[in-house]
Amino acid sequence: MNHQGVSGANQPWRSVSESRLRVRYAETDQMGVVYHANHFIWFEIGRVDLMRQLGFSYRDLERDHGCFIPVVDARCRYKAPARYDDEIIVRTHLRNVRESVIHFGYELVRADNNELLRKRDHAYDPRFKNEARAVAENLPKGVPPRHREVGS
């Protein structure tokens, strides 16, 4: 898998991470179509790449801040199948960070024709207010206040 970050020029809160991967045989069903649960693994790849692009990582949040962020809502809209050996781009962006929830948005597109395969929103519930604050405080300085709404 090849993970490439693409930054939003001068507006880091609009950054979009693009992670490229190729569908492996083990990720497909008998018909050669990607099993739906594998999309969630690919979204995690995109999320981790976006966080690194923004200057921090899950590992650091967990180790340095005791921040563990469980998924509380995951929605995926299936538009077209991904098949064995397709090259896929996972596009990930940060929607917002609030006291009670962190939202990421995702798209899966076929690399050769940019066809939208999946669209998804993902929400996380920081277990403690300080965890959301740790994420918000580590976002780049240019991120507008609406993306940093955390309680005091």
Side-chain angles (χ1 to χ4, degrees), residues 27-147:
E27 295 169 317
T28 64
D29 61 19
Q30 189 174 6
M31 298 175 290
V33 175
V34 172
Y35 179 67
H36 71 277
N38 287 313
H39 301 118
F40 292 84
I41 295 168
W42 297 349
F43 292 135
E44 179 184 358
I45 291 169
R47 186 172 59 254
V48 169
D49 286 349
L50 176 65
M51 291 178 71
R52 282 190 186 121
Q53 180 178 312
L54 293 173
F56 56 101
S57 70
Y58 270 128
R59 182 182 62 198
D60 295 342
L61 287 173
E62 291 175 355
R63 183 187 62 215
D64 300 341
H65 301 283
C67 181
F68 299 92
I69 308 173
V71 175
V72 295
D73 185 33
R75 301 172 194 199
C76 187
R77 190 172 210 173
Y78 298 93
K79 304 281 192 177
R83 299 186 182 279
Y84 170 65
D85 206 38
D86 283 351
E87 185 178 10
I88 305 297
I89 300 171
V90 181
R91 292 188 181 134
T92 310
H93 66 278
L94 180 67
R95 293 189 54 208
N96 60 40
V97 177
R98 297 176 189 239
E99 180 177 326
S100 61
V101 71
I102 299 169
H103 285 272
F104 292 90
Y106 307 87
E107 289 182 350
L108 290 182
V109 297
R110 196 176 326 277
D112 63 356
N113 63 6
N114 212 32
E115 177 184 10
L116 180 63
L117 304 174
R118 312 283 180 272
K119 191 167 187 168
R120 177 177 179 219
D121 289 327
H122 209 167
Y124 298 82
D125 177 15
R127 296 286 77 177
F128 303 100
K129 289 181 183 179
N130 289 342
E131 294 170 353
R133 188 173 294 112
V135 172
E137 288 172 356
N138 283 294
L139 291 174
K141 300 285 186 220
V143 175
R146 71 179 180 275
H147 292 286

Side-chain angles (χ1 to χ4, degrees), residues 1-29:
M1 288 182 219
N2 178 20
H3 309 294
Q4 300 175 359
V6 177
S7 175
N10 298 330
Q11 298 178 327
W13 68 93
R14 293 188 185 190
S15 292
V16 175
S17 173
E18 290 194 351
S19 306
R20 290 179 172 263
L21 55 96
R22 187 164 299 276
V23 177
R24 297 171 295 181
Y25 188 79
E27 295 169 317
T28 64
D29 61 19

